[in-house]
Coordinates of all heavy atoms in Angstrom, one line a residue:
M1 N 109.9 105.4 135.0 CA 108.9 104.5 134.5 C 108.1 105.2 133.4 O 107.7 106.3 133.5 CB 107.9 104.1 135.6 CG 107.0 103.0 135.3 SD 106.0 102.5 136.7 CE 107.1 101.6 137.7
S2 N 108.0 104.5 132.2 CA 107.3 105.1 131.1 C 106.1 104.3 130.7 O 106.0 103.1 131.1 CB 108.2 105.4 129.9 OG 108.9 104.2 129.6
F3 N 105.2 104.9 130.0 CA 104.0 104.3 129.6 C 103.8 104.1 128.1 O 104.4 104.8 127.3 CB 102.8 105.2 130.2 CG 102.8 105.3 131.7 CD1 103.5 106.3 132.3 CD2 102.2 104.4 132.4 CE1 103.5 106.5 133.7 CE2 102.2 104.4 133.8 CZ 102.9 105.5 134.4
C4 N 103.0 103.1 127.8 CA 102.7 102.7 126.5 C 102.2 103.9 125.6 O 101.5 104.8 126.1 CB 101.6 101.6 126.5 SG 101.1 101.1 124.9
A5 N 102.7 104.0 124.4 CA 102.4 105.1 123.5 C 100.9 105.1 123.1 O 100.4 106.1 122.6 CB 103.3 105.1 122.3
I6 N 100.2 103.9 123.3 CA 98.9 103.8 122.9 C 97.9 103.8 124.1 O 96.9 104.5 124.1 CB 98.7 102.5 122.1 CG1 99.5 102.5 120.8 CG2 97.2 102.3 121.8 CD1 99.6 101.2 120.1
C7 N 98.2 103.0 125.1 CA 97.3 103.0 126.3 C 98.1 103.6 127.5 O 99.2 104.1 127.3 CB 96.8 101.6 126.5 SG 98.1 100.4 126.9
D8 N 97.6 103.4 128.7 CA 98.2 103.9 129.8 C 98.9 102.9 130.7 O 99.3 103.1 131.8 CB 97.2 104.6 130.7 CG 96.6 105.9 130.1 OD1 97.4 106.5 129.3 OD2 95.5 106.2 130.3
R9 N 99.2 101.7 130.1 CA 99.9 100.7 130.8 C 101.4 101.0 130.8 O 101.9 101.6 129.9 CB 99.6 99.3 130.2 CG 98.2 98.8 130.4 CD 97.9 97.5 129.7 NE 96.5 97.1 129.9 CZ 95.6 97.5 129.1 NH1 95.8 98.3 128.1 NH2 94.3 97.1 129.4
V10 N 102.1 100.4 131.8 CA 103.5 100.6 131.9 C 104.2 99.7 130.8 O 103.8 98.6 130.5 CB 104.0 100.1 133.3 CG1 105.5 100.2 133.4 CG2 103.4 101.0 134.4
V11 N 105.2 100.3 130.2 CA 105.9 99.6 129.1 C 106.8 98.4 129.6 O 107.1 98.4 130.8 CB 106.8 100.5 128.3 CG1 106.0 101.6 127.7 CG2 107.9 101.1 129.1
V12 N 107.1 97.5 128.8 CA 108.1 96.4 129.1 C 109.4 96.7 128.5 O 109.6 97.1 127.4 CB 107.5 95.0 128.6 CG1 106.3 94.6 129.4 CG2 107.2 95.1 127.1
D13 N 110.5 96.4 129.3 CA 111.9 96.5 128.8 C 112.2 97.7 128.1 O 112.9 97.7 127.0 CB 112.2 95.3 127.9 CG 111.9 93.9 128.6 OD1 112.0 93.9 129.9 OD2 111.6 93.0 127.9
Q14 N 111.8 98.9 128.6 CA 112.1 100.2 128.0 C 111.6 100.3 126.5 O 112.1 101.1 125.7 CB 113.6 100.4 127.9 CG 114.4 100.1 129.2 CD 114.1 101.1 130.3 OE1 114.0 102.3 130.0 NE2 113.9 100.6 131.5
K15 N 110.6 99.5 126.2 CA 110.1 99.5 124.8 C 109.1 100.7 124.7 O 108.8 101.3 125.7 CB 109.5 98.2 124.4 CG 110.5 97.1 124.4 CD 110.4 96.3 123.1 CE 111.6 95.3 122.9 NZ 111.6 94.3 124.0
E16 N 108.5 100.8 123.5 CA 107.6 101.9 123.3 C 106.2 101.5 123.8 O 105.4 102.4 124.1 CB 107.6 102.2 121.7 CG 106.7 103.4 121.4 CD 106.7 103.7 119.9 OE1 107.3 102.9 119.2 OE2 106.1 104.7 119.6
F17 N 105.9 100.2 123.8 CA 104.5 99.8 124.1 C 104.5 98.9 125.4 O 105.5 98.4 125.8 CB 103.9 99.0 122.9 CG 103.9 99.8 121.7 CD1 104.5 99.3 120.5 CD2 103.3 101.1 121.6 CE1 104.5 100.0 119.3 CE2 103.3 101.8 120.4 CZ 103.9 101.3 119.3
C18 N 103.3 98.7 125.9 CA 103.0 97.8 127.0 C 103.1 96.4 126.4 O 103.3 96.1 125.2 CB 101.7 98.1 127.6 SG 100.3 97.7 126.4
Y19 N 103.0 95.4 127.4 CA 103.1 94.0 127.0 C 102.2 93.7 125.8 O 102.6 93.0 124.8 CB 102.9 93.1 128.2 CG 102.8 91.7 127.9 CD1 104.0 90.9 127.7 CD2 101.6 91.1 127.7 CE1 103.9 89.6 127.4 CE2 101.5 89.7 127.4 CZ 102.7 89.0 127.3 OH 102.6 87.6 127.0
Y20 N 100.9 94.1 126.0 CA 99.9 93.7 125.0 C 100.1 94.3 123.6 O 100.0 93.6 122.6 CB 98.5 94.1 125.5 CG 98.2 93.4 126.8 CD1 98.3 94.1 128.0 CD2 97.8 92.1 126.9 CE1 98.0 93.5 129.2 CE2 97.5 91.5 128.1 CZ 97.6 92.2 129.2 OH 97.3 91.6 130.4
H21 N 100.5 95.6 123.6 CA 100.7 96.2 122.3 C 102.0 95.8 121.7 O 102.2 95.8 120.5 CB 100.6 97.7 122.5 CG 99.2 98.2 122.6 ND1 98.7 98.9 123.7 CD2 98.1 98.1 121.7 CE1 97.4 99.2 123.5 NE2 97.0 98.7 122.3
Q22 N 103.0 95.5 122.6 CA 104.3 95.0 122.1 C 104.1 93.6 121.4 O 104.6 93.3 120.3 CB 105.3 94.8 123.3 CG 106.7 94.8 122.9 CD 107.2 96.0 122.2 OE1 107.0 97.1 122.6 NE2 107.9 95.9 121.1
E23 N 103.3 92.8 122.0 CA 102.9 91.5 121.4 C 102.2 91.7 120.1 O 102.5 91.0 119.1 CB 102.0 90.7 122.4 CG 102.6 90.1 123.6 CD 102.9 88.6 123.3 OE1 102.0 87.9 122.9 OE2 104.1 88.2 123.5
A24 N 101.3 92.6 120.1 CA 100.6 92.9 118.9 C 101.5 93.4 117.8 O 101.4 93.0 116.6 CB 99.5 93.9 119.1
L25 N 102.5 94.2 118.1 CA 103.4 94.7 117.2 C 104.2 93.5 116.6 O 104.5 93.5 115.4 CB 104.4 95.7 117.8 CG 105.5 96.2 117.0 CD1 105.0 97.1 115.8 CD2 106.5 97.1 117.8
G26 N 104.6 92.6 117.4 CA 105.4 91.4 116.9 C 104.6 90.6 115.9 O 105.1 90.2 114.9
R27 N 103.3 90.4 116.3 CA 102.4 89.7 115.3 C 102.2 90.4 114.0 O 102.2 89.9 113.0 CB 101.0 89.5 116.0 CG 100.9 88.3 116.9 CD 99.5 87.8 117.1 NE 98.6 88.8 117.5 CZ 98.4 89.2 118.8 NH1 99.1 88.6 119.7 NH2 97.6 90.1 119.2
L28 N 102.0 91.8 114.2 CA 101.9 92.6 113.0 C 103.1 92.5 112.0 O 102.9 92.4 110.8 CB 101.7 94.0 113.5 CG 101.3 95.2 112.6 CD1 100.6 96.3 113.4 CD2 102.6 95.8 112.0
Q29 N 104.3 92.5 112.6 CA 105.5 92.5 111.8 C 105.6 91.1 111.1 O 106.1 91.0 110.0 CB 106.7 92.8 112.6 CG 106.7 94.3 112.9 CD 107.8 94.7 114.0 OE1 108.1 93.9 114.8 NE2 108.2 95.9 113.9
E30 N 105.3 90.0 111.9 CA 105.4 88.7 111.4 C 104.4 88.5 110.2 O 104.8 87.9 109.2 CB 105.1 87.6 112.4 CG 106.2 87.3 113.3 CD 105.8 86.3 114.4 OE1 104.8 85.6 114.2 OE2 106.5 86.3 115.5
T31 N 103.2 89.0 110.4 CA 102.2 88.8 109.4 C 102.6 89.6 108.1 O 102.3 89.2 107.0 CB 100.8 89.3 109.9 OG1 100.6 88.7 111.1 CG2 99.7 89.0 108.9
F32 N 103.2 90.8 108.3 CA 103.6 91.6 107.2 C 104.6 90.8 106.3 O 104.5 90.8 105.1 CB 104.3 92.9 107.7 CG 104.9 93.7 106.6 CD1 104.0 94.2 105.5 CD2 106.2 94.0 106.5 CE1 104.6 94.9 104.5 CE2 106.7 94.8 105.5 CZ 105.9 95.2 104.5
E33 N 105.6 90.1 107.0 CA 106.5 89.3 106.2 C 105.8 88.3 105.3 O 106.2 88.1 104.1 CB 107.5 88.6 107.2 CG 108.6 89.4 107.7 CD 109.4 90.1 106.7 OE1 110.0 89.3 105.8 OE2 109.5 91.3 106.6
D34 N 104.8 87.6 105.9 CA 104.0 86.7 105.1 C 103.3 87.3 103.9 O 103.3 86.9 102.8 CB 103.0 86.0 106.0 CG 103.7 85.1 107.0 OD1 104.9 84.7 106.8 OD2 103.0 84.7 108.0
W35 N 102.7 88.4 104.2 CA 101.9 89.1 103.2 C 102.8 89.7 102.1 O 102.5 89.7 100.9 CB 101.1 90.3 103.8 CG 99.9 89.9 104.5 CD1 99.7 88.8 105.3 CD2 98.7 90.7 104.7 NE1 98.5 88.8 105.8 CE2 97.8 89.9 105.5 CE3 98.3 91.9 104.2 CZ2 96.6 90.3 105.8 CZ3 97.0 92.3 104.5 CH2 96.2 91.5 105.3
R36 N 104.0 90.2 102.5 CA 104.9 90.8 101.6 C 105.4 89.7 100.6 O 105.5 89.9 99.4 CB 106.1 91.4 102.3 CG 107.0 92.3 101.5 CD 107.9 93.1 102.3 NE 108.8 92.2 103.2 CZ 109.9 91.7 102.7 NH1 110.3 91.9 101.5 NH2 110.6 90.9 103.5
K37 N 105.8 88.5 101.2 CA 106.2 87.4 100.3 C 105.1 87.0 99.4 O 105.4 86.6 98.2 CB 106.7 86.3 101.2 CG 108.1 86.5 101.8 CD 108.5 85.3 102.7 CE 109.6 85.7 103.7 NZ 109.4 85.1 104.9
A38 N 103.9 86.9 99.9 CA 102.8 86.4 99.1 C 102.3 87.4 98.0 O 102.0 87.0 96.9 CB 101.7 86.0 100.0
S39 N 102.3 88.7 98.3 CA 101.7 89.6 97.4 C 102.5 90.8 97.1 O 102.1 91.7 96.3 CB 100.3 90.0 98.0 OG 100.5 90.7 99.2
G40 N 103.7 91.0 97.8 CA 104.5 92.2 97.5 C 103.9 93.5 98.0 O 104.2 94.5 97.6
I41 N 103.0 93.3 99.0 CA 102.3 94.5 99.6 C 103.3 95.4 100.3 O 104.3 94.9 100.9 CB 101.2 94.1 100.5 CG1 100.3 95.2 100.9 CG2 101.8 93.4 101.8 CD1 99.0 94.8 101.6
G42 N 103.1 96.7 100.2 CA 104.0 97.7 100.9 C 103.5 97.9 102.4 O 102.4 97.5 102.7
W43 N 104.4 98.4 103.2 CA 104.2 98.6 104.6 C 102.9 99.4 104.9 O 102.0 99.0 105.7 CB 105.4 99.2 105.3 CG 105.3 99.5 106.7 CD1 105.5 100.7 107.3 CD2 105.1 98.5 107.8 NE1 105.4 100.6 108.7 CE2 105.2 99.3 109.0 CE3 104.9 97.1 107.9 CZ2 105.0 98.7 110.3 CZ3 104.8 96.5 109.1 CH2 104.8 97.3 110.3
E44 N 102.8 100.6 104.3 CA 101.7 101.4 104.6 C 100.4 100.9 104.0 O 99.3 101.0 104.7 CB 101.9 102.8 103.9 CG 103.0 103.6 104.7 CD 103.4 104.9 104.0 OE1 102.7 105.4 103.2 OE2 104.5 105.3 104.3
E45 N 100.5 100.2 102.9 CA 99.3 99.6 102.3 C 98.8 98.5 103.2 O 97.6 98.3 103.5 CB 99.6 99.0 100.9 CG 98.4 98.6 100.1 CD 98.9 98.0 98.8 OE1 100.1 98.1 98.4 OE2 98.0 97.4 98.2
Y46 N 99.8 97.8 103.8 CA 99.5 96.7 104.7 C 98.8 97.2 106.0 O 97.8 96.7 106.4 CB 100.8 96.0 105.1 CG 100.8 95.1 106.2 CD1 100.1 93.8 106.2 CD2 101.4 95.4 107.4 CE1 100.0 93.0 107.2 CE2 101.4 94.5 108.5 CZ 100.7 93.3 108.4 OH 100.7 92.5 109.5
L47 N 99.3 98.3 106.5 CA 98.7 98.9 107.7 C 97.2 99.3 107.4 O 96.3 99.1 108.2 CB 99.5 100.1 108.2 CG 100.9 99.8 108.7 CD1 101.6 101.0 109.1 CD2 100.8 98.8 109.9
D48 N 97.0 99.9 106.2 CA 95.7 100.3 105.8 C 94.7 99.1 105.8 O 93.6 99.2 106.3 CB 95.7 101.0 104.4 CG 96.2 102.4 104.6 OD1 96.1 103.0 105.7 OD2 96.6 103.0 103.5
K49 N 95.2 98.0 105.2 CA 94.4 96.8 105.0 C 94.1 96.3 106.4 O 92.9 95.9 106.6 CB 95.2 95.8 104.2 CG 95.1 95.9 102.7 CD 94.5 94.7 102.1 CE 93.9 95.0 100.7 NZ 94.9 95.6 99.8
L50 N 95.1 96.2 107.3 CA 94.8 95.7 108.6 C 93.7 96.4 109.3 O 92.9 95.8 110.0 CB 96.1 95.8 109.5 CG 97.1 94.8 109.4 CD1 98.2 95.0 110.5 CD2 96.5 93.4 109.7
C51 N 93.7 97.7 109.1 CA 92.6 98.5 109.8 C 91.3 98.3 109.2 O 90.3 98.6 109.8 CB 93.0 100.0 109.8 SG 94.5 100.4 110.8
Q52 N 91.2 97.8 108.0 CA 90.0 97.6 107.3 C 89.3 96.3 107.5 O 88.1 96.2 107.5 CB 90.2 97.8 105.8 CG 90.4 99.3 105.4 CD 91.0 99.4 104.0 OE1 91.0 98.4 103.2 NE2 91.4 100.6 103.7
I53 N 90.1 95.2 107.7 CA 89.5 93.9 107.7 C 89.1 93.6 109.2 O 89.7 94.0 110.1 CB 90.5 92.8 107.2 CG1 91.8 92.8 108.0 CG2 90.8 93.0 105.8 CD1 92.8 91.7 107.6
D54 N 88.0 92.8 109.2 CA 87.4 92.5 110.5 C 88.2 91.5 111.3 O 88.1 91.5 112.6 CB 86.0 91.8 110.3 CG 85.0 92.8 109.7 OD1 85.3 94.1 109.9 OD2 84.0 92.4 109.1
E55 N 89.1 90.7 110.7 CA 89.8 89.7 111.4 C 90.9 90.3 112.3 O 91.4 89.6 113.2 CB 90.5 88.7 110.4 CG 89.5 87.8 109.7 CD 88.8 88.5 108.6 OE1 89.4 89.4 108.0 OE2 87.7 88.1 108.2
T56 N 91.3 91.5 112.0 CA 92.3 92.1 112.8 C 91.9 92.3 114.3 O 90.8 92.9 114.5 CB 92.7 93.5 112.2 OG1 93.0 93.4 110.8 CG2 93.9 94.1 113.0
G57 N 92.7 91.8 115.2 CA 92.3 92.0 116.6 C 92.5 93.4 117.0 O 93.1 94.2 116.4
Q58 N 91.8 93.7 118.2 CA 91.8 95.1 118.7 C 93.2 95.6 118.9 O 93.6 96.8 118.6 CB 91.0 95.1 120.0 CG 90.9 96.6 120.5 CD 90.5 96.6 122.0 OE1 90.0 95.6 122.5 NE2 90.9 97.6 122.7
W59 N 94.1 94.8 119.6 CA 95.4 95.3 119.9 C 96.2 95.6 118.6 O 96.9 96.6 118.6 CB 96.2 94.2 120.7 CG 95.5 93.9 122.0 CD1 94.8 92.7 122.3 CD2 95.4 94.6 123.2 NE1 94.3 92.7 123.5 CE2 94.7 93.9 124.1 CE3 95.9 95.9 123.5 CZ2 94.4 94.4 125.4 CZ3 95.7 96.4 124.8 CH2 94.9 95.6 125.7
V60 N 96.2 94.7 117.7 CA 96.9 94.9 116.4 C 96.4 96.1 115.7 O 97.2 96.9 115.2 CB 96.8 93.6 115.5 CG1 97.5 93.9 114.2 CG2 97.4 92.4 116.2
R61 N 95.1 96.3 115.7 CA 94.5 97.4 115.0 C 95.0 98.7 115.6 O 95.3 99.7 114.9 CB 93.0 97.3 115.1 CG 92.2 98.3 114.3 CD 90.7 98.2 114.5 NE 90.2 96.9 114.2 CZ 89.6 96.7 113.0 NH1 89.4 97.6 112.2 NH2 89.2 95.5 112.7
E62 N 95.0 98.8 117.0 CA 95.5 100.0 117.6 C 96.9 100.3 117.3 O 97.3 101.4 117.1 CB 95.3 99.8 119.2 CG 93.8 100.0 119.6 CD 93.6 99.7 121.0 OE1 94.5 99.4 121.8 OE2 92.4 99.8 121.5
V63 N 97.8 99.2 117.3 CA 99.2 99.4 116.9 C 99.3 99.9 115.5 O 100.0 100.9 115.2 CB 100.0 98.1 117.1 CG1 101.4 98.3 116.5 CG2 100.1 97.7 118.6
A64 N 98.5 99.3 114.6 CA 98.6 99.7 113.2 C 98.2 101.2 113.0 O 98.8 102.0 112.3 CB 97.7 98.8 112.3
E65 N 97.1 101.6 113.7 CA 96.7 103.0 113.6 C 97.7 103.9 114.3 O 97.9 105.0 113.7 CB 95.3 103.1 114.3 CG 94.2 102.6 113.4 CD 92.8 102.5 114.1 OE1 92.8 102.8 115.3 OE2 91.9 102.2 113.4
H66 N 98.3 103.5 115.3 CA 99.3 104.3 116.0 C 100.5 104.5 115.0 O 101.0 105.7 114.8 CB 99.8 103.7 117.2 CG 101.0 104.4 117.9 ND1 100.8 105.6 118.6 CD2 102.3 104.1 117.9 CE1 102.0 106.0 119.0 NE2 102.9 105.1 118.6
I67 N 101.0 103.5 114.4 CA 102.1 103.6 113.5 C 101.8 104.5 112.3 O 102.5 105.3 111.9 CB 102.5 102.2 113.0 CG1 103.1 101.3 114.1 CG2 103.6 102.3 111.9 CD1 103.3 99.9 113.8
K68 N 100.6 104.3 111.7 CA 100.1 105.1 110.6 C 100.1 106.6 111.0 O 100.5 107.5 110.2 CB 98.7 104.7 110.2 CG 98.7 103.5 109.3 CD 97.5 103.5 108.4 CE 96.2 103.5 109.2 NZ 95.0 103.6 108.3
S69 N 99.6 106.9 112.2 CA 99.5 108.3 112.6 C 100.8 109.0 112.8 O 100.9 110.2 112.7 CB 98.6 108.4 113.9 OG 99.4 107.9 115.0
K70 N 101.9 108.2 113.2 CA 103.1 108.9 113.5 C 104.2 108.6 112.4 O 105.2 109.3 112.3 CB 103.7 108.4 114.8 CG 104.3 107.0 114.7 CD 105.1 106.7 116.0 CE 105.9 105.4 115.7 NZ 106.9 105.2 116.7
D71 N 103.9 107.7 111.5 CA 104.9 107.4 110.4 C 105.0 108.5 109.4 O 104.0 109.0 108.8 CB 104.5 106.1 109.7 CG 105.4 105.0 110.1 OD1 106.2 105.1 111.0 OD2 105.4 103.9 109.4
G72 N 106.2 109.0 109.2 CA 106.5 109.9 108.1 C 107.2 109.2 106.9 O 107.3 108.0 107.0
P73 N 107.5 110.0 105.9 CA 108.2 109.4 104.8 C 109.6 108.8 105.2 O 110.1 108.0 104.4 CB 108.5 110.7 103.9 CG 107.5 111.7 104.3 CD 107.3 111.4 105.8
S74 N 110.1 109.2 106.3 CA 111.5 108.8 106.7 C 111.5 107.3 107.1 O 112.6 106.7 107.1 CB 112.0 109.6 107.8 OG 111.1 109.4 108.9
T75 N 110.4 106.7 107.4 CA 110.4 105.3 107.9 C 110.0 104.3 106.8 O 109.7 103.2 107.0 CB 109.4 105.2 109.1 OG1 108.2 105.7 108.7 CG2 110.0 105.8 110.3
K76 N 109.9 104.8 105.5 CA 109.6 103.9 104.4 C 110.7 102.8 104.3 O 111.9 103.1 104.5 CB 109.5 104.6 103.1 CG 108.2 105.3 102.9 CD 107.8 105.3 101.4 CE 106.4 105.8 101.2 NZ 106.2 107.1 101.7
T77 N 110.3 101.6 104.0 CA 111.2 100.5 103.8 C 111.5 100.3 102.3 O 110.6 100.2 101.5 CB 110.7 99.2 104.4 OG1 109.4 99.0 104.0 CG2 110.8 99.2 105.9
Ligands
LIG101 ZN1 99.5 99.5 125.3

């Protein structure tokens, strides 16, 4: 049994995150597609913006901060 990379909850389906953070990750990626089409924003810039705006929910913000903290140059799209 493994635990979420962000909180201490058990992960779902061998994924990296728990149910809540996995859901947040899905929303984060969907929203990125919209933003990218609308404004051509890059992934890292998008994560920065998410962490700055008040509308971002707590779960999504935690996922964004987690990705930023572990992302290296190798994961650029
Ligand atoms: Zn979690």
